[in-house]
Amino acid sequence: GAVVSQHPSRVICKSGTSVKIECRSLDFQATTMFWYRQFPKKSLMLMATSNEGSKATYEQGVEKDKFLINHASLTLSTLTVTSAHPEDSSFYICSAPYRGSADTQYFGPGTRLTVL
Amino acid sequence: DQQVKQNSPSLSVQEGRISILNCDYTNSMFDYFLWYKKYPAEGPTFLISISSIKDKNEDGRFTVFLNKSAKHLSLHIVPSQPGDSAVYFCAASVEGMGAQKLVFGQGTRLTINP
């Protein structure tokens, strides 16, 4: 089946630094990718929709200046957490819909961010 | 405001028996529902889905039931196997909105006991 990769899988950074997370669709093109965040024992919360060739669409309450999204190509979207703080520590997961259908939306393995 | 709710954070079932995971939703615009399975430190994996025009969809050991009037869906796994132990998320979306945005429940941790 289709594969979505994320890099890095785990990152620890100091407060105030910026961290970039990559999401790649390995064997299909994705004009749209989604970024989710999961807090411990909570549901996956959609943060934003990444659109190739245009600006990302952010969900209500998500700071677009803090979570910068760039959809550089049809197979790559990046999420940059700027000036990270401990409260940004979380599990970040991306997904890409294959053929535009919800049931073939493939998820990356996730990135565990820890901000000290 | 939690539009999709899984009120049981955990469920323990004996191997070979039926596992029933429940999910409720509040947004009547949702017309497509999915179940995902998730292992620790991995992304969710799609299991089974159902459109609102149906009330049941079956795939092997997995069956999803949808009760639109009650805004309730359930996932039945029978017989349950140890490999089914994972966190299960239900998700909902509005079909026909292009690449669908999913709204997830909080998840239910299923443990299958040998």
Side-chain angles (χ1 to χ4, degrees):
Chain A
V3 177
V4 174
S5 69
Q6 272 183 250
H7 177 79
S9 59
R10 184 182 296 266
V11 57
I12 301 173
C13 69
K14 292 182 179 180
S15 185
T17 60
S18 294
V19 174
K20 180 186 285 189
I21 303 170
E22 292 184 349
C23 177
R24 293 181 187 273
S25 56
L26 296 184
D27 51 359
F28 66 100
Q29 294 181 333
T31 57
T32 302
M33 292 183 177
F34 299 100
W35 285 96
Y36 294 85
R37 181 175 181 178
Q38 185 185 20
F39 293 99
K41 299 183 179 179
K42 300 286 186 182
S43 67
L44 290 146
M45 299 296 295
L46 179 65
M47 297 174 65
T49 303
S50 173
N51 304 299
E52 191 269 337
S54 64
K55 292 183 179 180
T57 307
Y58 290 83
E59 296 301 303
Q60 192 174 14
V62 178
E63 299 176 61
K64 60 182 179 182
D65 293 332
K66 179 164 189 61
F67 298 100
L68 299 179
I69 290 173
N70 182 30
H71 202 131
S73 74
L74 288 170
T75 58
L76 173 64
S77 174
T78 59
L79 168 68
T80 302
V81 183
T82 63
S83 187
H85 288 99
E87 57 265 30
D88 298 326
S89 298
S90 192
F91 193 58
Y92 292 87
I93 303 176
C94 69
S95 73
Y98 184 62
R99 298 183 303 210
S101 173
D103 64 351
T104 49
Q105 191 168 145
Y106 291 95
F107 285 80
T111 297
R112 169 73 61 194
L113 171 64
T114 303
V115 185
L116 302 176
Chain B
D1 177 33
Q2 191 77 25
Q3 296 186 67
V4 179
K5 299 180 184 180
Q6 293 174 258
N7 292 316
S8 298
S10 63
L11 176 67
S12 187
V13 174
Q14 193 168 4
E15 182 179 1
R17 306 293 288 267
I18 184 171
S19 296
I20 300 176
L21 299 124
N22 294 302
C23 180
D24 298 292
Y25 61 97
T26 58
N27 189 343
S28 57
M29 294 294 292
F30 291 141
D31 57 7
Y32 198 76
F33 305 90
L34 310 94
W35 283 93
Y36 284 84
K37 179 180 180 179
K38 185 180 182 300
Y39 292 113
E42 292 184 11
T45 303
F46 170 74
L47 270 179
I48 192 169
S49 63
I50 188 168
S51 168
S52 62
I53 62 173
K54 294 184 176 182
D55 54 19
K56 176 183 175 181
N57 188 27
E58 191 172 351
D59 183 3
R61 296 187 298 116
F62 302 93
T63 303
V64 56
F65 295 92
L66 175 63
N67 182 333
K68 288 187 293 294
S69 61
K71 294 192 176 68
H72 177 84
L73 64 153
S74 61
L75 173 68
H76 293 210
I77 306 172
V78 57
S80 300
Q81 300 174 354
D84 296 330
S85 295
V87 177
Y88 289 78
F89 289 94
C90 69
S93 71
V94 180
E95 237 180 345
M97 299 272 292
Q100 288 82 2
K101 297 194 295 186
L102 299 174
V103 180
F104 283 85
Q106 307 96 311
T108 297
R109 180 175 300 280
L110 175 64
T111 303
I112 305 301
N113 302 308

